[in-house]
Amino acid sequence: MKHLIAPSLLSADFLDLRKEVEMINKSDADWLHLDIMDGVFVPNISFGFPVLNALKTICQKPMDVHLMIVEPLKFVREIAAAGAYMMNVHYETCTHLHRTVTAIKNEGMKAGVTLNPHTPISLLEDIIRDVDMVLLMSVNPGFSGQSFIEHSVDKVIRLREMIDRTGADALIEVDGGVNLETGRRLVEAGADVLVAGNFVFKSPDPVRTIRELKAL
Ligand code: DX5
Ligand code: ZN
């Protein structure tokens, strides 16, 4: 499968979100990545349901929602109602991860589980066949524009091995510090989806940058 590109709206111009989403709509982007932060799980607050619900009306790409919040199970219904295609919850926030994954699927969404940079792949051994995607953080979550943590490439290789060995069909998405150089190595290692914030939205020609990431 050709890898997918999911630009992260966190780096967009928030004074002109309609223009930014229209740019994404006409680009080669496969998904739009949306980062929800609560100021508790991560040391930052981004945006929430009013923004998601507004985006839903103009976004023509599947919405890949990344929840950096405690107790995501509380909000499964709201995320579904906001039009999410994929709901990603952090492993570190879910005591009953299987219950949360089941609830996400019952609402008709794809279920993604996200790992912080320090959280080992091996913890997924008994849930990997139940999830649609694993989102590997290649920076500490909370901010765009951080530098890529090198160890992430090795995690992609080991996660690919686990997926192949167990017969699971989860996608591998990587988020944080992705550019043409890190992106190429991630795709070679077995990543299926690349998230890119700053590298896309702060570039002089975002549509072209998305095309270049897609061509890796
Ligand atoms: C960080 C977010 C990312 C962020 C990526 O917590 O999950 O999606 O927007 O930004 P870049 O690509 O600039 O590292
Ligand atoms: Zn993200």
Side-chain angles (χ1 to χ4, degrees), residues 47-72:
F47 49 82
F49 296 118
V51 174
L52 282 188
N53 283 313
L55 292 171
K56 177 174 96 172
T57 65
I58 57 168
C59 183
Q60 294 164 4
K61 308 278 178 169
M63 291 172 29
D64 176 34
V65 179
H66 175 192
L67 288 163
M68 286 160 272
I69 66 169
V70 297
E71 299 192 66

Side-chain angles (χ1 to χ4, degrees), residues 8 10 33-37 66 68 135 137 173 175-176 195:
S8 165
L10 192 61
H33 184 85
L34 297 160
D35 292 297
I36 312 295
M37 306 178 186
H66 175 192
M68 286 160 272
L135 168 49
M137 291 309 300
E173 181 175 56
D175 182 6
V195 176

Side-chain angles (χ1 to χ4, degrees), residues 108-126:
M109 295 179 286
K110 302 280 186 193
V113 57
T114 309
L115 300 188
N116 273 339
H118 72 279
T119 304
I121 295 295
S122 55
L123 290 171
L124 297 177
E125 196 73 44
D126 292 292

Side-chain angles (χ1 to χ4, degrees), residues 204-216:
D205 185 347
V207 168
R208 181 177 168 176
T209 303
I210 292 167
R211 197 182 314 128
E212 288 171 350
L213 283 166
K214 186 74 188 168
L216 285 174

Side-chain angles (χ1 to χ4, degrees), residues 19-205:
K19 188 190 89 208
E20 299 282 49
V21 173
E22 283 168 357
M23 179 279 289
I24 294 294
N25 284 344
K26 72 170 196 217
S27 77
D28 288 341
D30 297 282
W31 299 346
L32 180 61
H33 184 85
L34 297 160
D35 292 297
I36 312 295
M37 306 178 186
D38 66 355
V40 178
F41 177 61
V42 289
N44 198 4
I45 297 175
S46 55
F47 49 82
F49 296 118
V51 174
L52 282 188
N53 283 313
L55 292 171
K56 177 174 96 172
T57 65
I58 57 168
C59 183
Q60 294 164 4
K61 308 278 178 169
M63 291 172 29
D64 176 34
V65 179
H66 175 192
L67 288 163
M68 286 160 272
I69 66 169
V70 297
E71 299 192 66
L73 182 56
K74 277 187 186 169
F75 300 105
V76 173
R77 280 224 161 133
E78 286 85 345
I79 297 291
Y85 166 73
M86 175 79 71
M87 175 167 167
N88 298 286
V89 297
H90 268 260
Y91 180 91
E92 301 83 6
T93 64
C94 296
T95 310
H96 303 288
L97 182 58
H98 187 275
R99 176 178 292 150
T100 304
V101 164
T102 304
I104 293 171
K105 290 178 174 175
N106 285 345
E107 286 295 329
M109 295 179 286
K110 302 280 186 193
V113 57
T114 309
L115 300 188
N116 273 339
H118 72 279
T119 304
I121 295 295
S122 55
L123 290 171
L124 297 177
E125 196 73 44
D126 292 292
I127 192 84
I128 191 69
R129 282 174 298 276
D130 299 310
V131 299
D132 297 296
M133 188 165 82
V134 177
L135 168 49
L136 295 178
M137 291 309 300
S138 42
V139 297
N140 287 295
F143 303 92
S144 54
Q146 303 181 83
S147 32
F148 182 76
I149 297 172
E150 277 301 321
H151 182 61
S152 315
V153 178
D154 181 58
K155 279 179 95 168
V156 172
I157 292 170
R158 284 183 288 113
L159 178 56
R160 173 56 60 204
E161 185 276 325
M162 180 191 289
I163 290 170
D164 292 347
R165 172 170 50 78
T166 57
D169 59 3
L171 297 172
I172 302 175
E173 181 175 56
V174 188
D175 182 6
V178 170
N179 55 35
L180 289 177
E181 189 271 323
T182 55
R184 180 184 50 76
R185 288 192 286 130
L186 290 166
V187 169
E188 280 171 13
D192 300 296
V193 191
L194 300 177
V195 176
N198 263 23
F199 189 65
V200 166
F201 285 97
K202 306 296 186 211
S203 79
D205 185 347

